Amino acid sequence: MISREDVAHVARLARLALEPDELERMRAQLDGILAYIDQLRAVDVAGVEPTSHAVPLVNVMREDAVVAPFPQEAMLANAPDRVGELFRVPRIIED
Amino acid sequence: MSAPAQAGWEVVIGLEVHAQLRTRSKMFCGCPTAFGAAPNSQTCPVCQGMPGTLPVINRTAIEYAVRTALALDCRVNAGCRFARKHYYYPDMPKNFQISQYEEPLAEEGLLEIDIDGAARPIGIQRLHLEEDVGKLLHEGTLATAQASLVDFNRSGVPLMETVSKPDLRSPEEAAAYLRAFRAVLVYLGVCDGNMEEGSLRCDANVSLRPRGSAGLGTKVEIKNLNSFRNVQRALEYEVQRQAQALEAGERIVQETRLWDADRDVTRPMRSKEYAHDYRYFPEPDLVPLQIDRAWVDAIRRDLPELPRARRRRFVAQHGLPPYDAGVLTQSRALADYFEAAVRAFPQPKLVSNWIMSELLRALPGDDERAIAGAPVTPERLAGLLGLVQDGTISGRIAKDVFERMLRTGQDAPTIVAREGLTQVADEAALAAVVDRVLAQNPRAVADYRGGKTAAAKALVGQVMKATGGKANPGIVNRLLEEKLSRI
Ligand SMILES: [Zn+2]
């Protein structure tokens, strides 16, 4: 069973502020998901290559060719805040 | 630099180097990668991380990474995969960076560095590809900033991370490793190596252990080492700091510190409690890569001669001292310059002397663009040396001519003709000057006749002065000797 602490940790990583009742609801739902994963674990996968993809496709690449970027104004248009040509975000204290 | 406090400790350093690859377009979209464009003018929904966009891998970025991996004797993995590395920071609006984790492109290589004239192999642990992130600027000063400003032009530029094994044993070795690594990248043409523009960035892991012990001490990560000088200074500071703490019986805290180049100290970054919980998982928007062996072999066949091999060849083939060979091979452009000049003027040591004293006085030898675009081309340097060899100008005048060539971009014959710098080799003209100098300097003449042969030197100097340095010194010497012996 997943603990409330684990859920709080994951919520913190995802920048989610959960109220105690929300946290408990999430905990119960995550428990259900993990139980389902346990059910999958029961399947015998000996000799099956692990995969991250459902489609049998590899090596999808493009040539190194420049495509015209989007207009600067278009890319800045949805910014909640900006200074001239730059996005403006809450101050970063780290460095 | 072995200060007393570190005497009982062995230094253990590993470097992580991030290199921007010189592709035309970004890693996962077609936006251009050119440095210095107006902020946010080279972006699109993909590299600004908007929902619903799909990345597509740049084939040339893979090729450049394979090329580097082969040059470092790494094993190129048959299969590799991209992964999402999650963190929240405004330089990366989609809240994850596409990187590689469990299945990197290449592993297990080595880079040889020279320490006190001996070669030392430094292990390479892994080499992988990822996307660069946006650039943050602060509004006002750090202390007073109310906001940060973001430019996403750099976001999505292909970034190759190469992690060394903890094989470096001093700050000097770390700087030597970074220099050697940079030279390899520049020779391969995969990165421009420009640290000022951020094309090459370095983080270090440092720990100390009691001498003779095989275990590893607690390591500290240092970020922000963005020049060779900073790498060495920051590591020297950090080694001292850790040695003093250990000597005082303190424990080293595993943490990330920033090098503050203005204050010459490393200081802890404000604790990022969850910083290393990146929750990697395979990038669902990209299918895996299975790198074709034939492609790898073709890339291997096309590898250029690397710096160490070229340096050895310069010693063996051109008969240069190892020091000269080391200086001349610091960049591919400089080594190419030297060889082109030697083809046109086959006296390697003389050419080397001119490059090391005159060319490198004016231009930084590790700056590919500056050397490749030098106003004095190798052919023009050869032309200048030809004028000295055939006696048209003196060696001293040639240095002035070289400066003018650098300034004006003109060739040596043009400058020599226009400025009237041709060496006076006309015996009759010089004989007249010598006679005049002898007449004006009876004292020196008397000294010479009294046995002070050094007086002849002063007389040569007077003749050179009277001719504005243009007299052929060989002829002046001979004329003076003849005339003095006849007086
Ligand atoms: Zn883009």
Side-chain angles (χ1 to χ4, degrees):
Chain A
M1 203 178 81
I2 188 164
S3 69
R4 288 179 63 91
E5 288 69 39
D6 284 339
V7 178
H9 177 70
V10 172
R12 166 82 176 84
L13 289 175
R15 299 296 188 275
L16 294 175
L18 298 182
E19 297 299 325
D21 61 318
E22 290 173 315
L23 195 111
E24 181 48 39
R25 197 163 75 238
M26 290 293 163
R27 198 202 59 73
Q29 289 181 0
L30 279 171
D31 241 3
I33 293 167
L34 291 173
Y36 175 62
I37 301 286
D38 278 340
Q39 216 176 313
L40 289 178
R41 273 206 186 127
V43 179
D44 180 11
V45 291
V48 179
E49 208 41 37
T51 181
S52 59
H53 255 273
V55 282
L57 204 60
V58 294
N59 297 344
V60 177
M61 289 186 260
R62 45 174 260 277
E63 296 308 314
D64 180 26
V66 170
V67 175
F70 272 48
Q72 185 194 44
E73 264 315 308
M75 291 312 297
L76 283 159
N78 295 327
D81 194 5
R82 62 186 271 192
V83 174
E85 301 170 300
L86 295 153
F87 291 88
R88 187 168 187 270
V89 298
R91 128 192 161 104
I92 301 308
I93 46 167
E94 206 63 72
D95 54 0
Chain B
M1 206 190 79
S2 195
Q6 335 170 184
W9 304 98
E10 184 176 44
V11 178
V12 178
I13 299 170
L15 293 189
E16 290 175 16
V17 184
H18 286 89
Q20 282 185 347
L21 297 180
R22 275 175 69 179
T23 53
R24 283 186 282 269
S25 65
K26 292 187 179 179
M27 184 71 214
F28 298 116
C29 65
C31 290
T33 55
F35 181 82
N40 295 303
S41 66
Q42 300 190 150
T43 71
C44 72
V46 175
C47 56
Q48 280 209 4
M50 302 216 173
T53 56
L54 282 176
V56 188
I57 297 168
N58 183 334
R59 182 190 304 275
T60 301
I62 304 295
E63 180 180 331
Y64 285 0
V66 170
R67 196 187 288 175
T68 310
L70 293 174
L72 297 172
D73 280 326
C74 286
R75 180 185 80 227
V76 176
N77 289 329
C80 74
R81 213 184 287 272
F82 284 90
R84 290 188 177 180
K85 175 183 182 178
H86 297 84
Y87 67 90
Y88 287 83
Y89 211 59
D91 60 9
M92 178 50 76
K94 63 183 188 280
N95 297 333
F96 63 83
Q97 179 189 26
I98 304 179
S99 181
Q100 295 193 290
Y101 186 51
E102 282 175 327
E103 296 156 285
L105 187 121
E107 292 169 273
E108 294 296 327
L110 59 87
L111 175 65
E112 274 192 355
I113 61 171
D114 285 292
I115 297 300
D116 302 328
R120 216 160 89 58
I122 304 300
I124 304 288
Q125 190 177 319
R126 59 183 274 144
L127 179 151
H128 75 243
L129 277 172
E130 58 192 28
E131 55 182 341
D132 207 344
V133 298
K135 197 171 171 170
L136 289 178
L137 304 149
H138 297 288
E139 198 170 65
T141 70
L142 208 53
T144 63
Q146 293 302 305
S148 297
L149 307 173
V150 200
D151 172 9
F152 289 109
N153 283 349
R154 204 179 67 177
S155 174
V157 170
L159 205 57
M160 181 176 69
E161 178 175 333
T162 309
V163 183
S164 87
K165 293 190 176 167
D167 289 349
L168 299 159
R169 291 291 169 267
S170 68
E172 292 87 339
E173 286 193 14
Y177 170 89
L178 191 58
R179 277 201 183 83
F181 186 75
R182 179 188 180 280
V184 168
L185 296 185
V186 171
Y187 268 61
L188 294 172
V190 301
C191 173
D192 66 19
N194 191 326
M195 295 190 88
E196 291 77 43
E197 292 179 4
S199 309
L200 199 65
R201 315 197 279 269
C202 180
D203 301 332
N205 285 306
V206 199
S207 63
L208 264 54
R209 63 185 173 196
R211 241 171 238 294
S213 133
L216 290 174
T218 305
K219 72 176 179 189
V220 170
E221 184 180 11
I222 307 177
K223 289 191 172 291
N224 213 18
L225 305 177
N226 297 333
S227 72
F228 295 111
R229 191 159 162 265
N230 279 341
V231 168
Q232 190 159 338
R233 281 166 65 218
L235 289 171
E236 278 165 1
Y237 173 87
E238 181 61 20
V239 165
Q240 281 294 318
R241 188 189 72 83
Q242 290 189 22
Q244 279 164 11
L246 290 167
E247 290 291 328
E250 293 164 28
R251 282 182 47 200
I252 302 297
V253 184
Q254 179 158 353
E255 61 181 350
T256 301
R257 300 174 73 90
L258 274 183
W259 169 243
D260 184 337
D262 296 331
R263 295 195 190 83
D264 273 356
V265 295
T266 64
R267 54 183 168 79
M269 285 178 76
R270 263 172 256 195
S271 168
K272 267 194 194 172
E273 215 178 330
Y274 299 93
H276 290 290
D277 200 341
Y278 292 127
R279 294 152 295 143
Y280 287 96
F281 67 72
E283 166 58 80
D285 289 338
L286 293 169
V287 297
L289 291 179
Q290 278 175 12
I291 298 184
D292 182 35
R293 286 295 108 181
W295 190 28
V296 172
D297 290 340
I299 295 170
R300 193 194 304 275
R301 278 194 300 276
D302 282 348
L303 283 182
E305 186 180 30
L306 292 171
R308 288 182 61 82
R310 200 165 193 183
R311 196 171 62 204
R312 282 195 293 268
R313 185 168 61 76
F314 276 18
V315 173
Q317 181 188 332
H318 298 303
L320 291 183
Y323 175 78
D324 292 41
V327 171
L328 294 175
T329 53
Q330 64 183 295
S331 70
R332 191 170 166 180
L334 188 62
D336 287 347
Y337 185 103
F338 167 76
E339 291 208 287
V342 167
R343 269 194 299 278
F345 190 82
Q347 292 187 34
K349 180 55 185 159
L350 187 63
V351 170
S352 165
N353 289 345
W354 273 81
I355 290 176
M356 293 201 303
S357 61
E358 303 305 316
L359 186 72
L360 296 188
R361 187 182 5 238
L363 302 172
D366 60 356
D367 185 336
E368 297 278 321
R369 272 177 284 185
I371 299 295
V376 180
T377 61
E379 293 71 27
R380 286 184 174 180
L381 173 61
L384 174 67
L385 298 183
L387 293 181
V388 178
Q389 193 180 37
D390 69 17
T392 307
I393 56 174
S394 68
R396 208 180 62 86
I397 290 285
K399 299 201 170 180
D400 295 340
V401 175
F402 186 89
E403 283 221 338
R404 286 170 214 227
M405 290 166 76
L406 268 180
R407 263 205 322 272
T408 63
Q410 291 173 319
D411 64 8
T414 306
I415 291 167
V416 168
R418 192 189 55 225
E419 312 270 332
L421 298 169
T422 306
Q423 183 158 245
V424 178
D426 175 340
E427 287 229 23
L430 281 179
V433 178
V434 170
D435 285 340
R436 200 171 67 232
V437 166
L438 291 178
Q440 285 165 353
N441 294 277
R443 178 116 179 237
V445 174
D447 284 351
Y448 180 84
R449 299 192 63 188
K452 285 190 190 163
T453 45
K457 251 194 189 153
L459 291 167
V460 172
Q462 289 296 323
V463 175
M464 296 309 284
K465 198 173 154 193
T467 57
K470 287 181 280 178
N472 179 311
I475 298 176
V476 172
N477 272 319
R478 185 165 48 76
L479 287 174
L480 264 173
E481 248 168 61
E482 281 171 15
K483 287 180 188 289
L484 282 169
S485 68
R486 271 193 262 125
I487 290 175

